[in-house]
Amino acid sequence: MRNMYEEIVNGIEGKNFDNFTKVRWIYLYICKNFSYDARYYYATEEQKDKIYNKEINLSSVDEFEAVCYTTIRALQDVLSIFGFKSEIIKEKPIKRSHVKLLVEYEKGKYLSLDPTISHDTTRVKMKSHTYDFIERNNPIFDEKLDEADKIINYYDKEIDYDVYYNSKSIDKLYRVMTASLEERGASDVEVFLEKLEYVFSLLDMRNDFTRFDDIDYYFSYLIYKFKLNDRGINYIKPALFINKEDNNDLVDVVLIDYPGLSPMFYLLSKDKGKQNYTVKGLSKECVINILESYYSICTDIFFKYTQNMTELINNNRIIR
């Protein structure tokens, strides 16, 4: 149980922040501490209502996964502590519409805030730039944002490279890796498999991502950064699966369908007693067991691919 009210007040108190920087600090704090509740994707209508309308008491927080409406209301509550006026804006005039927050940080000056639509909740944890902290019609907005982030030290905290890579170091790693592959004259299949193993290793190292949506987004981010899907062809097909007996048990079943290789399956999940996610390869028997025990819209398609499975390339990762 955490008193986030105290954490926020203590985090800003005594700092000589202007209003823009205060709102930025609060936005980063909310994104860093909350994650999108991926259970919402497969929830029943009743469950969606419950998740969408979840209440958060900032003085006593014990749940840190939420969808847009709950996260936006928490953000609004925090901003009101410091006297900021804001309005929740619905994207569409429908039930459970996506929402964002319009906050007046100075008279006549407004910021549009949306932690969830483009995964700023994860991007902040990655120390990457945010997509939906926006001030429209302000030609110097980027400069103001850079200055605020410098004051907050958003990018300057030391990265523990034994734990994970940030977005800039991933770019460097990719350049070094591709240069090595070119020098060795690796085949297309060898290039693909080595890139894939790099991505899996980075996922394994990311022990600070303890909630499903964060690791799931990070996985898609790495697939993009390592250029594993080519010209719109998805060789890597991750799919969310939810345990039929426990909807808090979310995993990614990952189908690899690359030319010249038989179909391969991997599992991105938590080990028992651990908080972080790791990747393991699946034998045919394990794949079928998971497809029968978990629910997904991809179940039938994945079952068809199991018919052509032979064996995984990397035996070190296989679960039997």
Side-chain angles (χ1 to χ4, degrees), residues 37 39 65 212 242-243 245-250 277:
D37 191 342
R39 295 174 302 174
E65 289 175 286
F212 179 81
I242 298 180
N243 193 315
E245 303 297 326
D246 177 9
N247 71 348
N248 292 311
D249 180 12
L250 283 68
Y277 289 80

Side-chain angles (χ1 to χ4, degrees), residues 206-212 215 269-278:
R206 196 85 204 202
N207 60 13
D208 59 326
F209 282 167
T210 61
R211 302 171 196 148
F212 179 81
I215 196 70
S269 66
K270 289 183 180 181
D271 289 333
K272 285 186 178 179
K274 294 187 177 180
Q275 292 301 308
N276 63 300
Y277 289 80
T278 56

Side-chain angles (χ1 to χ4, degrees), residues 144-205:
K144 286 180 69 174
L145 184 60
D146 287 344
E147 182 62 28
D149 284 343
K150 285 177 185 175
I151 292 169
I152 294 168
N153 291 322
Y154 175 47
Y155 293 109
D156 296 338
K157 291 182 180 178
E158 185 177 347
I159 298 294
D160 183 352
Y161 292 104
D162 291 330
V163 179
Y164 62 84
Y165 288 82
N166 67 359
S167 55
K168 290 183 180 178
S169 56
I170 285 171
D171 288 335
K172 182 178 180 180
L173 175 64
Y174 178 78
R175 290 194 296 270
V176 171
M177 182 200 67
T178 51
S180 173
L181 287 166
E182 287 176 11
E183 186 177 331
R184 284 181 273 147
S187 67
D188 288 346
V189 170
E190 289 171 331
V191 169
F192 177 81
L193 290 174
E194 190 159 330
K195 284 182 178 181
L196 184 65
E197 185 55 36
Y198 265 103
V199 167
F200 286 165
S201 296
L202 288 170
L203 290 169
D204 289 346
M205 292 167 66

Side-chain angles (χ1 to χ4, degrees), residues 91-260:
E91 189 177 75
K92 297 178 182 178
I94 58 172
K95 182 182 180 182
R96 298 193 304 262
S97 169
H98 181 72
V99 296
K100 60 185 177 181
L101 192 68
L102 194 66
V103 55
E104 186 176 28
Y105 72 93
E106 288 179 9
K107 189 171 182 179
K109 295 183 178 180
Y110 296 88
L111 287 162
S112 175
L113 311 181
D114 189 347
T116 61
I117 193 68
S118 298
H119 293 272
D120 279 354
T121 44
T122 305
R123 296 185 64 80
V124 167
K125 297 179 184 78
M126 290 165 52
K127 290 289 181 182
S128 292
H129 67 274
T130 54
Y131 286 142
D132 288 300
F133 182 96
I134 300 167
E135 183 179 7
R136 304 191 190 283
N137 302 319
N138 183 349
I140 63 167
F141 170 72
D142 289 341
E143 289 86 344
K144 286 180 69 174
L145 184 60
D146 287 344
E147 182 62 28
D149 284 343
K150 285 177 185 175
I151 292 169
I152 294 168
N153 291 322
Y154 175 47
Y155 293 109
D156 296 338
K157 291 182 180 178
E158 185 177 347
I159 298 294
D160 183 352
Y161 292 104
D162 291 330
V163 179
Y164 62 84
Y165 288 82
N166 67 359
S167 55
K168 290 183 180 178
S169 56
I170 285 171
D171 288 335
K172 182 178 180 180
L173 175 64
Y174 178 78
R175 290 194 296 270
V176 171
M177 182 200 67
T178 51
S180 173
L181 287 166
E182 287 176 11
E183 186 177 331
R184 284 181 273 147
S187 67
D188 288 346
V189 170
E190 289 171 331
V191 169
F192 177 81
L193 290 174
E194 190 159 330
K195 284 182 178 181
L196 184 65
E197 185 55 36
Y198 265 103
V199 167
F200 286 165
S201 296
L202 288 170
L203 290 169
D204 289 346
M205 292 167 66
R206 196 85 204 202
N207 60 13
D208 59 326
F209 282 167
T210 61
R211 302 171 196 148
F212 179 81
D213 192 70
D214 291 329
I215 196 70
D216 181 64
Y217 175 78
Y218 186 57
F219 186 20
S220 66
Y221 175 83
L222 291 175
I223 291 171
Y224 169 75
K225 296 296 276 189
F226 279 78
K227 301 179 182 178
L228 279 162
N229 290 329
D230 182 32
R231 301 184 190 90
I233 302 172
N234 293 329
Y235 302 127
I236 303 179
K237 300 175 174 67
L240 165 62
F241 279 71
I242 298 180
N243 193 315
K244 292 177 181 178
E245 303 297 326
D246 177 9
N247 71 348
N248 292 311
D249 180 12
L250 283 68
V251 301
D252 261 340
V253 177
V254 186
L255 167 62
I256 309 298
D257 182 24
Y258 190 80

